[in-house]
Amino acid sequence: MDLVSGYKGMVGLVFGNENSGSSEDSYIERLLDRISNGALAEDRRNAVTELQSVVAESRAAQLAFGAMGFPILMGVLKEERDDVEMVRGALETIVSALTPIDHGKGPKNEVQPALMNTDLLSRESESISLLLSLLSEEDFYIRYYTLQLLTALVTNSPNRLQEAILTIPRGITRLMDMLMDREVIRNEALLLLTYLTREAEEIQKILVFEGAFEKIFSIIKEEGGSEGGVVVQDCLELLNNLLRNNASNQILLRETMGFDPLISILKLRGSTYSFTQQKILGALETINLLLMGGPEADSAKDVNRLLTNKTVLVQKKVLDHLLMLGVESQWAPVAVRCAALQCIGDLIAGYPKNLDALASKVLGEEPHVEPALNSILRIILRSSSMQEFIAADYVFKCFCEQNSDGQTMLASTLIPQPHSMTHAPLEEDVNMSFGSMLLRGLTLNENDGDLETCCRAASVLSYILQNNIQCKERVLRIELEAPMPSLGAPEPLMHRIVKYLALSSSMKSKDGKSSSTGNLYVQPIILKLLVTWLADCPNAVHCFLDARPHLTYLLELVSNPSATVCIRGLTAVLLGECVLYNKSSESGKDAFTVVDSISRKVGLTAYFLKFDEMQKSFLFSSAKPAQPRKALTRSNAASMAEIEDVEENASSNQTDGHPILISIFDAQFVNLVKKLESDIRENIIEVYSQPKSKVAVVPAELEQKSGENDGDYIKRLRSFVEKQCSEIQDLLGRNASLAEDLARTGGGSISQPEQRASGASERVQVETLRRDLQQASQRLEMLKAEKAKIESEASMYQNLAGKMESDLKSLSDAYNSLEQANYHLEKEVKALKSGGATPSSPDIEAIKAEAREEAQKESEAELNDLLVCLGQEQSKVEKLSARLLELGVDVDTLLEGIGDDTGLHEDSEEDEED
């Protein structure tokens, strides 16, 4: 088949088979050869026309063109500017090569020729510069196709084109000039700039410097403002791109153009909303960007900027327009009402003046006027749209956050109405106060088993009570009438809330069928209210435990396998608060009773596991501070209403990730639960490790027996008390060890029952051995200390004995000296006698006898004193020897040196005497 002669403009006739790649390559190559080497201008133009038609309808042709065609056609654009038709055809062909073709068949991972061609063309910055130069051509179609080509490039490869345009001198300026061109060119340039400014801060700043704000609002005005079509929507999208996460651009808009042109878009009345939904949503997103700031809006400078934006917007009466859109215009689309309510929440968050402005706003016309907060509460209680409930609930969250005066003001209106009034028709709530309407919502459908309205009212009440002890105490005193006077006295509001918590497990929908999906968020929201209420409020804990069934129900709910992870976790937190903030000393209501009940009915290990499971759940692991919402584009704005319906249906298949729970369980509540968890763990361990403070049991052993004297009775009591103290200390040690072990292992995986039992037994044995070893070590240390003390005393007495021995030696030496002197005197007397000195002999004998007698007396006295001292020392040595023997010390070895020294001295004395 001759492909060239058979071509008649129909791709099917050219390529009968989509997979015949070689034929396609050959045909594209022939066309490109005709374009580059053709002799006749008309033939070359026809070849470009044929090439454009083929590439626009065949992926294979796009792929073949990308490999060979770009250099040839870019050469045409560069060198043949004078041939307008050739340039037009070349631009249109390249646009076709970059436009994806969807045949609705083929595998998902199939090669995308349009993306590959985009990548090839965008790699060369010279190509982008060449295309931008074509914008200065006079021909309308050349400029139009060039803008389309750049739009296709930025759609498929935004980063590369953004970088290339920034490097080209006056690249942004040329694009801005296109906004002042003819309408079609302007609209195409507007769309291109919208794509270019997404996440490109440098381009955003250059555009604003080039006067983008003035041109945008000029185009909006030309197109009829909010009555305009898709062009206005594109202008608002471009405006939002310039303001998103860009503080300098926001300040420049506020100080140059002001917010009046933006607010004028919201000034609408009548039934035109159904035709301008996308434009209103775009304007509301702009308001939101001015109120929320960027992800790093934490510095003082950014905070001041946001506060200034809020101040200016309120001065421009934007709150009135938002209330009109979100509250009063109930015929407006749900998406518009939700966006307006979210903007109201952002406008008042953390700004006291705006909080007061909303609190003082009244809606409606005389005589039917009511506070704006009442109207927003009515939306919460009545709306059939899940998204609208979430948006209105967000307003109250922002109103009550760090606004104790506002919380007190709302709580002061909580006055119960007569039972007949609470069941009056819904239309009569217009004349009710805020608090009466809220209490009516809490009890509206209890008899029908539909607790949807109660759940929504509970969410609002939780914001009123959050971090406000005065409001908690005030609401604690509210009592509701029984449904029938014969059923008993009024009951506290808290008891009624717990009753609804129990009823919600068997909640029915309005058609009488079981509503398991409703239970997914009804019970968690009521639990959130109770957790918030009991936090740091001992009186609330006391009121909660006044009814014994409350504790019993919580113990059943926390271990209910059919309940969600979130419900079991919040129930565990609620039980923990009954311990943490329990100041009661009444039997059956104190913290020890609650912990004991948890231990017996649930088990501490299983109880602590509920915390870990909840923290790993989607709700708690994904909770983050408020983030800027997803950018609104032309496509998702048009289909927002349909998306809401899909979300409503899809939410029924979710568990803990229900959209309502994701919105209501914000980062602030999640952080509160995490803080409570750590405090609860520590407090339960402490309570579990300590005995009850008062035990009024008197054992029979404490009574005095008949005939038992006081001394024996006191000894027996002392023995009994010592035994009891020992057992109590042992039990306390085991208890503390067990509680700490349970707290540590609470986050671990659940093992088999046999493993848990053996592990517990082994831990008890190890703990017992550890305590015994510790006691033995302490006793050994005591014995070592006592031994060191005795050894010190023995050393002291040894030194004393040495001193006494030295004194005795000195005395012995003196005695020997006297003996020697006496001996010499006797020798002298004998010599004198032998010498014949008879007359004097009586005198000598008398002197000798007298001297001997005196020496003998002195020696005897000194010996007696010495013997007394030695006797005393001997008794001390005997006592020390006995004590050392008890301690296992060898006394003979210790005294061995002393005996040797004494023997040596005695031998020396005997030698001297001899």
Side-chain angles (χ1 to χ4, degrees):
M1 177 181 181
D2 187 355
L3 295 177
V4 178
S5 60
Y7 181 76
K8 298 181 180 179
M10 298 294 295
V11 177
L13 297 177
V14 176
F15 302 119
N17 184 1
E18 183 77 16
N19 297 322
S20 56
S22 58
S23 301
E24 295 158 0
D25 292 349
S26 175
Y27 181 62
I28 296 297
E29 186 175 0
R30 293 180 192 178
L31 292 177
L32 291 173
D33 182 68
R34 287 170 58 190
I35 295 172
S36 59
N37 300 320
L40 299 176
E42 189 65 28
D43 181 60
R44 297 177 65 223
R45 295 190 191 104
N46 292 335
V48 170
T49 303
E50 292 180 15
L51 181 63
Q52 189 275 329
S53 300
V54 174
V55 170
E57 299 184 17
S58 170
R59 286 187 178 183
Q62 285 183 337
L63 195 61
F65 172 81
M68 302 176 286
F70 281 122
I72 296 174
L73 293 191
M74 294 305 292
V76 171
L77 297 179
K78 185 176 181 181
E79 298 173 2
E80 302 184 35
R81 293 284 187 93
D82 296 336
D83 193 340
V84 176
E85 291 189 13
M86 279 293 292
V87 173
R88 285 182 188 175
L91 286 172
E92 192 173 2
T93 302
I94 297 176
V95 170
S96 300
L98 302 184
T99 304
I101 300 173
D102 185 12
H103 290 307
K105 60 182 179 179
K108 295 182 179 179
N109 58 351
E110 186 178 1
V111 175
Q112 298 294 330
L115 298 180
M116 296 178 62
N117 293 342
T118 302
D119 184 68
L120 286 172
L121 184 59
S122 60
R123 284 182 182 179
E124 300 294 333
S125 58
E126 295 181 358
S127 301
I128 308 300
S129 178
L130 175 61
L131 293 175
L132 288 176
S133 67
L134 292 175
L135 295 176
S136 59
E137 294 292 326
E138 295 182 358
D139 185 72
F140 168 82
Y141 287 102
I142 291 178
R143 300 198 304 276
Y144 177 71
Y145 289 137
T146 301
L147 288 173
Q148 280 193 327
L149 178 53
L150 291 172
T151 302
L153 283 173
V154 77
T155 302
N156 298 330
S157 183
N159 295 333
R160 194 170 287 173
L161 185 64
Q162 290 168 353
E163 295 172 1
I165 289 181
L166 284 173
T167 60
I168 298 172
R170 299 190 73 252
I172 301 294
T173 305
R174 292 178 184 177
L175 294 178
M176 286 294 295
D177 292 340
M178 295 297 99
L179 292 179
M180 309 307 294
D181 207 321
R182 294 166 60 179
E183 183 176 343
V184 177
I185 300 291
R186 180 201 68 189
N187 296 345
E188 200 67 35
L190 190 62
L191 190 61
L192 172 61
L193 290 173
T194 300
Y195 285 115
L196 272 178
T197 51
R198 291 176 183 173
E199 301 179 359
E201 186 174 356
E202 292 299 324
I203 295 180
Q204 294 170 4
K205 292 180 179 180
I206 296 174
L207 282 176
V208 172
F209 182 76
E210 294 285 344
F213 288 144
E214 292 81 356
K215 292 179 180 179
I216 288 173
F217 285 114
S218 174
I219 295 173
I220 290 176
K221 185 176 181 180
E222 291 177 8
E223 293 292 320
S226 57
E227 301 295 332
V230 71
V231 176
V232 175
Q233 184 178 340
D234 289 339
C235 287
L236 290 172
E237 186 177 347
L238 175 58
L239 176 63
N240 294 338
N241 289 345
L242 297 177
L243 297 177
R244 185 175 292 108
N245 303 334
N246 199 316
S248 60
N249 286 357
Q250 291 187 16
I251 295 173
L252 191 62
L253 173 63
R254 185 181 69 224
E255 295 180 354
T256 55
M257 297 288 295
F259 297 151
D260 289 321
L262 175 64
I263 295 175
S264 64
I265 301 176
L266 304 177
K267 296 179 181 179
L268 284 179
R269 297 292 185 272
S271 59
T272 55
Y273 283 109
S274 58
F275 304 103
T276 59
Q277 173 178 344
Q278 289 77 24
K279 272 73 69 180
I280 297 297
L281 287 175
L284 290 174
E285 188 192 12
T286 309
I287 299 292
N288 176 259
L289 292 173
L290 295 173
L291 298 174
M292 288 293 291
E296 300 178 357
D298 294 331
S299 65
K301 186 176 180 180
D302 286 334
V303 171
N304 292 333
R305 170 178 57 83
L306 295 177
L307 290 179
T308 305
N309 289 348
K310 291 181 179 182
T311 302
V312 174
L313 286 170
V314 170
Q315 290 174 351
K316 299 295 183 181
K317 306 297 182 183
V318 73
L319 183 58
D320 295 335
H321 300 302
L322 293 176
L323 288 171
M324 173 61 70
L325 288 171
V327 181
E328 293 186 272
S329 302
Q330 288 302 304
W331 39 265
V334 174
V336 172
R337 300 202 303 268
C338 292
L341 288 170
Q342 288 168 343
C343 285
I344 293 174
D346 295 333
L347 184 66
I348 64 175
Y351 195 42
K353 290 184 179 180
N354 292 358
L355 289 170
D356 296 338
L358 177 62
S360 60
K361 286 290 181 183
V362 293
L363 303 180
E365 299 178 356
E366 293 291 347
H368 304 291
V369 296
E370 68 172 349
L373 290 175
N374 289 27
S375 300
I376 298 174
L377 177 62
R378 184 177 295 104
I379 293 174
I380 290 178
L381 300 179
R382 290 190 185 182
S383 177
S384 59
S385 168
M386 177 183 68
Q387 297 297 331
E388 189 173 19
F389 158 61
I390 292 174
D393 184 83
Y394 178 70
V395 175
F396 277 103
K397 173 186 177 299
C398 296
F399 181 82
C400 294
E401 191 171 331
Q402 298 179 355
N403 182 21
S404 57
D405 293 339
Q407 290 173 306
T408 304
M409 182 267 293
L410 294 179
S412 65
T413 64
L414 290 168
I415 301 174
Q417 298 293 317
H419 185 71
S420 58
M421 188 66 181
T422 58
H423 288 76
L426 291 176
E427 292 74 14
E428 296 186 11
D429 63 3
V430 178
N431 301 320
M432 288 186 179
S433 66
F434 176 89
S436 299
M437 193 188 309
L438 183 62
L439 291 175
R440 184 172 187 259
L442 283 170
T443 60
L444 185 60
N445 294 322
E446 58 174 291
N447 295 329
D448 301 331
D450 181 12
L451 297 177
E452 174 80 19
T453 306
C454 170
C455 150
R456 298 183 177 188
S459 178
V460 176
L461 183 58
S462 68
Y463 298 134
I464 297 175
L465 302 182
Q466 192 167 23
N467 299 326
N468 195 315
I469 299 298
Q470 290 76 17
C471 289
K472 293 178 182 180
E473 299 282 356
R474 186 186 191 101
V475 178
L476 205 58
R477 295 190 292 268
I478 295 177
E479 293 187 345
L480 302 177
E481 289 185 3
M484 296 178 63
S486 60
L487 295 180
E491 62 178 338
L493 175 62
M494 175 176 284
H495 291 193
R496 186 72 65 88
I497 296 296
V498 180
K499 170 187 171 184
Y500 295 155
L501 176 64
L503 288 175
S504 61
S505 59
S506 58
M507 189 176 69
K508 305 290 185 181
S509 61
K510 293 181 179 179
D511 58 2
K513 297 180 180 179
S514 177
S515 179
S516 58
T517 58
N519 188 38
L520 291 177
Y521 62 87
V522 171
Q523 275 192 315
I525 291 178
I526 296 178
L527 283 169
K528 178 193 174 185
L529 168 61
L530 293 173
V531 168
T532 304
W533 200 342
L534 266 62
D536 202 23
C537 187
N539 289 336
V541 174
H542 183 78
C543 178
F544 181 85
L545 295 177
D546 270 345
R548 181 66 182 177
H550 292 176
L551 180 60
T552 304
Y553 173 70
L554 290 187
L555 292 172
E556 293 175 356
L557 186 59
V558 77
S559 56
N560 185 1
S562 62
T564 64
V565 171
C566 177
I567 292 174
R568 293 196 301 268
L570 291 176
T571 306
V573 173
L574 198 57
L575 283 169
E577 287 181 318
C578 292
V579 178
L580 183 61
Y581 301 112
N582 193 322
K583 307 299 181 184
S584 175
S585 58
E586 298 181 31
S587 178
K589 296 181 182 179
D590 58 348
F592 187 88
T593 302
V594 179
V595 174
D596 186 59
S597 300
I598 294 174
S599 177
R600 288 186 293 103
K601 299 292 183 64
V602 182
L604 287 184
T605 302
Y607 173 74
F608 287 132
L609 277 175
K610 301 299 184 291
F611 290 111
D612 300 311
E613 293 173 355
M614 178 177 62
Q615 296 297 349
K616 294 176 183 177
S617 66
F618 176 78
L619 275 179
F620 285 79
S621 61
S622 63
K624 297 178 181 177
Q627 298 290 331
R629 283 178 272 276
K630 183 180 179 181
L632 190 71
T633 62
R634 182 192 298 184
S635 57
N636 61 26
S639 58
M640 183 168 286
E642 291 77 4
I643 292 175
E644 287 177 6
D645 296 336
V646 173
E647 287 181 351
E648 296 250 7
N649 295 330
S651 65
S652 62
N653 297 325
Q654 300 176 359
T655 55
D656 288 341
H658 196 284
I660 291 180
L661 295 183
I662 294 173
S663 172
I664 292 179
F665 281 52
D666 54 1
Q668 185 176 2
F669 179 71
V670 169
N671 292 334
L672 170 66
V673 170
K674 290 181 178 179
K675 179 182 180 299
L676 286 173
E677 177 194 347
S678 61
D679 294 342
I680 288 169
R681 286 179 182 269
E682 294 178 5
N683 195 263
I684 286 182
I685 291 172
E686 181 180 354
V687 173
Y688 197 70
S689 304
Q690 299 294 331
K692 295 186 70 175
S693 57
K694 295 181 180 179
V695 181
V697 180
V698 181
E701 290 83 355
L702 298 183
E703 299 293 337
Q704 187 172 7
K705 298 178 181 179
S706 60
E708 186 180 30
N709 59 39
D710 293 341
D712 294 338
Y713 178 56
I714 291 173
K715 289 182 180 179
R716 186 166 58 82
L717 286 181
R718 180 178 297 174
S719 174
F720 177 81
V721 171
E722 290 177 352
K723 180 181 178 182
Q724 291 296 313
C725 286
S726 176
E727 292 179 357
I728 288 173
Q729 291 300 324
D730 183 66
L731 289 174
L732 287 177
R734 292 171 182 265
N735 225 0
S737 176
L738 176 61
E740 291 173 358
D741 184 61
L742 288 174
R744 285 195 303 269
T745 60
S749 59
I750 302 176
S751 59
Q752 297 297 326
E754 296 81 1
Q755 295 175 345
R756 292 203 303 269
S758 62
S761 176
E762 290 175 359
R763 285 196 297 272
V764 171
Q765 293 177 3
V766 169
E767 182 63 21
T768 304
L769 292 174
R770 186 185 65 79
R771 259 195 325 276
D772 292 344
L773 179 60
Q774 185 177 4
Q775 292 175 359
S777 300
Q778 292 176 353
R779 181 168 178 78
L780 181 60
E781 292 296 329
M782 291 174 59
L783 291 174
K784 286 182 179 180
E786 189 174 355
K787 177 184 175 184
K789 180 180 178 182
I790 292 174
E791 288 178 349
S792 176
E793 292 179 356
S795 176
M796 182 184 67
Y797 286 125
Q798 185 178 358
N799 295 334
L800 184 59
K803 182 180 178 183
M804 296 299 293
E805 183 181 357
S806 177
D807 293 342
L808 180 60
K809 181 181 178 183
S810 300
L811 185 61
S812 177
D813 291 342
Y815 179 76
N816 291 334
S817 299
L818 290 174
E819 285 290 337
Q820 289 178 1
N822 186 36
Y823 175 72
H824 289 303
L825 289 173
E826 285 181 352
K827 287 177 67 176
E828 290 178 1
V829 170
K830 287 180 181 180
L832 289 173
K833 283 181 178 182
S834 63
T838 307
S840 61
S841 60
D843 295 333
I844 293 173
E845 288 292 336
I847 291 172
K848 177 182 178 182
E850 184 178 356
R852 182 180 297 169
E853 185 178 356
E854 289 178 1
Q856 187 174 0
K857 286 181 180 180
E858 290 178 3
S859 298
E860 287 178 357
E862 290 180 358
L863 283 172
N864 288 334
D865 292 340
L866 183 59
L867 290 173
V868 170
C869 291
L870 288 174
Q872 293 176 349
E873 296 304 318
Q874 182 64 30
S875 64
K876 292 180 179 179
V877 170
E878 290 176 355
K879 291 182 179 179
L880 288 174
S881 299
R883 184 58 179 165
L884 288 173
L885 286 173
E886 292 179 1
L887 296 174
V889 178
D890 190 352
V891 181
D892 295 336
T893 304
L894 186 62
L895 299 177
E896 184 176 353
I898 300 174
D900 294 343
D901 294 341
T902 306
L904 291 174
H905 292 310
E906 290 176 354
D907 292 343
S908 64
E909 291 176 3
E910 290 177 358
D911 293 339
E912 288 177 359
E913 289 179 358
D914 295 340

